[in-house]
Amino acid sequence: MKTPARTDAGPGTLADRFEAAFGAPPHGVWAAPGRVNLIGEHTDYNEGFVLPFAIDNRARTAVRLRGDSAVRLLSTFGDQGLVEADTGALAPGTVTGWAKYPLGVVWALQQHGIGVPGFDLLLDSDVPLGAGLSSSHAIECAVVTALNELTGAGLSAEEMVLLTQHAENAFVGAPTGIMDQSASLRGATGHAVFLDCRDQSVELVPFQALEAGLVLLVIDTKVEHSHADGGYASRRASCEVGAELMGVKALRDVSVADLQEASGLLDATTFRRTRHIVTENDRVLQTVNVLQTRGPAHIGSLLDDSHASMRDDFEISCPELDLAVDTARAHGAIGARMTGGGFGGSAIALTPVQDEQHVRDAVVRAFADAGFTRPDIFTVTPAAGAERIR
């Protein structure tokens, strides 16, 4: 088999680079966005409510089907090298590195009874890695969108959400919920995705910060995290224990009024984990109501309360995230919180346009004074979900 050419140098579109690497043009190019979660953290696998939105940073995949069962994967990111596999020999635990995300999707499609032929794939992404912006799910959603079309599988967005979740849980080994895939596959420009994780129902909620004189800053702390590690899994296990002891199917079914009863049934740690989920679900519902009735300038205190709950009750923050949030709030942000699974990644800060540079400068200065790695700070706006772009 001829070795594809290098792809990490030279101009041209992704399709051009694919043809240069594999010797033939792709059958198409598909893109799927990363996401920022405005509010609603760790509520998804508790069958609760979340409010993410797709962002304008995307993973793009150029794909060409083959006439055999061979898979060849290349990435434009660094010197990753060619990854080769066979669609008939995929199994959980057999793939490492970035390739486990597209190959996990292939495996999940096969588990669903969908035949996937061999293919060549070139990946390009500008979703920051390890920043809590769901770079891995962006890859999976771009790949499942491409293969859904190319194989004629005819899957709905809801079905693709569940397939990519299965790939994450069973193939990648990360016990995630459905929030990230739902935002990436079902997002819309100018809107957040209000998702009920019990029945997958979605309502698009306007979130147009700029029209309200605001920007949403993402502060990437450069502290990398992984959903496949023990911290995420242990939080999920605590939630399952809490639901069992409370006699409910999921913590979604526990109300704020039930927390007094919960405090007498649960040990201190399980109670704190439960309290975060219960109050966070309530904050999501409040945020949706405020956005629909008063606008984004009035959700700041809900963002602040969410961060305090994740820091103190769910204990998934870290010094860098806390410093980013506290500094942004002290220098003009009307609300700030960590976003994503925690243990690193990014914070968001809803900031008046006129204070944006002041907040940026203050956070960079605070990180330098603390001896932390310089953060990346950028703005995001709600963007379209996964789609074919060529």
Side-chain angles (χ1 to χ4, degrees):
M1 182 182 294
K2 181 181 176 183
T3 301
R6 286 174 61 91
T7 63
D8 56 355
T13 66
L14 192 64
D16 293 335
R17 297 171 78 176
F18 180 98
E19 186 169 1
F22 292 109
H27 287 136
V29 180
W30 291 261
R35 65 96 188 94
V36 156
N37 191 22
L38 190 60
I39 197 165
E41 227 63 77
H42 288 260
T43 49
D44 57 347
Y45 55 78
N46 288 285
E47 301 187 11
F49 305 103
V50 291
L51 190 64
F53 62 81
I55 61 176
D56 40 3
N57 298 78
R58 303 191 292 178
R60 299 181 300 144
T61 55
V63 182
R64 182 181 180 86
L65 295 186
R66 299 170 56 89
D68 54 21
S69 60
V71 178
R72 299 189 298 173
L73 308 173
L74 279 172
S75 169
T76 65
F77 185 78
D79 191 12
Q80 301 275 354
L82 178 70
V83 177
E84 297 182 271
D86 190 287
T87 59
L90 297 175
T94 61
V95 184
T96 59
W98 72 273
K100 64 190 175 188
Y101 302 112
L103 292 177
V105 169
V106 175
W107 175 84
L109 286 166
Q110 293 173 330
Q111 294 291 301
H112 196 68
I114 297 168
V116 182
F119 59 90
D120 295 331
L121 178 148
L122 177 60
L123 168 70
D124 179 66
S125 179
D126 63 2
V127 184
L129 301 176
L133 303 181
S134 200
S135 57
S136 61
H137 288 94
I139 296 170
E140 292 165 349
C141 290
V143 171
V144 78
T145 302
L147 294 179
N148 183 45
E149 180 177 335
L150 290 172
T151 63
L155 299 171
S156 66
E158 293 88 343
E159 289 171 320
M160 289 191 285
V161 164
L162 295 178
L163 276 171
T164 51
Q165 183 195 21
H166 186 49
E168 275 281 313
N169 293 173
F171 194 89
V172 176
T176 55
I178 63 170
M179 174 181 68
D180 298 344
Q181 302 95 324
S182 296
S184 188
L185 288 163
R186 306 177 74 181
T189 302
H191 291 77
V193 178
F194 175 38
L195 171 67
D196 183 331
C197 295
R198 172 159 284 171
D199 63 11
Q200 277 196 275
S201 61
V202 159
E203 180 181 356
L204 296 176
V205 178
F207 180 69
Q208 297 172 326
L210 198 56
E211 286 80 350
L214 301 165
V215 293
L216 190 70
L217 289 173
V218 175
I219 304 166
D220 179 1
T221 66
K222 297 298 185 179
V223 179
E224 292 195 11
H225 75 298
S226 170
H227 283 171
D229 67 14
Y232 191 102
S234 70
R235 298 308 186 278
R236 182 163 187 163
S238 287
C239 292
E240 291 169 355
V241 169
E244 181 180 0
L245 293 175
M246 289 294 294
V248 295
K249 181 173 181 286
L251 290 182
R252 145 74 171 271
D253 300 309
V254 179
S255 70
V256 173
D258 294 328
L259 286 175
Q260 184 173 356
E261 176 189 356
S263 67
L265 291 173
L266 308 177
D267 65 83
T269 298
T270 304
F271 174 69
R272 289 197 306 273
R273 306 294 188 250
T274 297
R275 181 168 60 188
H276 165 70
I277 299 301
V278 172
T279 58
E280 187 78 345
N281 272 323
D282 186 62
R283 282 186 288 270
V284 174
L285 298 177
Q286 290 186 60
T287 301
V288 169
N289 178 261
V290 172
L291 287 174
Q292 292 174 329
T293 58
R294 302 173 66 195
H298 301 278
I299 66 170
S301 63
L302 291 162
L303 302 183
D304 293 342
D305 290 346
S306 175
H307 183 77
S309 181
M310 289 184 287
R311 181 193 63 214
D312 301 334
D313 278 353
F314 224 59
E315 297 179 287
I316 54 173
S317 191
C318 65
E320 290 87 349
L321 286 168
D322 292 340
L323 182 62
V325 166
D326 293 344
T327 304
R329 286 289 289 119
H331 291 84
I334 66 169
R337 65 186 287 273
M338 59 151 284
T339 187
F343 310 103
S346 297
I348 55 174
L350 190 59
T351 305
V353 171
Q354 66 270 19
D355 293 322
E356 177 185 349
Q357 194 59 49
H358 187 46
V359 170
R360 287 175 177 264
D361 292 343
V363 171
V364 169
R365 191 165 54 247
F367 271 56
D369 290 346
F372 296 154
T373 299
R374 182 185 177 94
D376 278 347
I377 305 175
F378 51 94
T379 61
V380 290
T381 57
E387 59 185 346
R388 182 174 184 147
I389 59 174
R390 186 182 186 279

